[in-house]
Amino acid sequence: MKPRHKGSCLCGKVHYEITGECQSLYLCHCHRCQKGSGSVHGANLFAQDASLTWIQGAASVTTYHHPGTLHVRSFCRHCGSALPSVDDRSGWVTVPAGSLDTPVPISVTAKIFTASRGEWVKSADEAPSFDALPQSEGQ
Ligand SMILES: [Zn+2]
Ligand SMILES: [Zn+2]
């Protein structure tokens, strides 16, 4: 039986299911993924011969194709959360790891486009860590 993975967006309007194996998980530091995520890197699982089913909220999914590239990003039009997409030509399903509600099934394959990694991220290695919001902040 093929493995099943479930996910959803932040506002809960969109729910999906992926049926099939995930082959790789890439942390992509390219400029497009920085813009799309507003963060350090994209984190996407790739699944060949897998199927994507929208369980709920398919009409709320918007897909952006960056002109002249293979870069595609699907998201919920209500809350902006990243959602899976299917490449029409290759059939590969791309799944944002953070959108899954079931455990991420594989470990990170590689960090890619690290030459584009933001300079500011390097200071994160020395910054202190807190399990939750620190008491001195945001009260
Ligand atoms: Zn949403
Ligand atoms: Zn990227």
Side-chain angles (χ1 to χ4, degrees):
M1 205 173 107
K2 287 183 172 181
R4 288 169 184 269
H5 313 285
K6 289 183 182 227
S8 60
C9 66
L10 180 60
C11 76
K13 286 193 168 69
V14 181
H15 284 260
Y16 67 85
E17 185 174 82
I18 304 290
T19 306
E21 302 272 356
C22 293
Q23 280 81 29
S24 51
L25 168 53
Y26 288 104
L27 305 185
C28 183
H29 290 262
C30 82
H31 291 299
R32 294 166 193 159
C33 288
Q34 287 183 43
K35 285 284 185 193
S37 67
S39 187
V40 181
H41 53 65
N44 286 303
L45 290 146
F46 292 88
Q48 197 175 28
D49 302 323
S51 60
L52 165 63
T53 306
W54 301 112
I55 295 168
Q56 180 188 309
S60 297
V61 181
T62 298
T63 300
Y64 171 70
H65 295 259
H66 193 58
T69 73
L70 296 174
H71 190 83
V72 173
R73 205 177 99 80
S74 291
F75 54 94
C76 170
R77 66 184 174 89
H78 301 286
C79 68
S81 299
L83 290 166
S85 56
V86 182
D87 186 290
D88 297 335
R89 279 160 291 188
S90 67
W92 282 80
V93 180
T94 303
V95 186
S99 72
L100 285 172
D101 296 319
T102 49
V104 174
I106 57 173
S107 52
V108 174
T109 309
K111 300 173 218 173
I112 58 174
F113 286 94
T114 53
S116 304
R117 188 173 182 239
E119 274 300 311
W120 61 275
V121 182
K122 293 168 188 165
S123 61
D125 296 338
E126 288 91 54
S129 297
F130 300 92
D131 285 342
L133 193 66
Q135 284 305 310
S136 57
E137 309 277 335
Q139 289 177 358

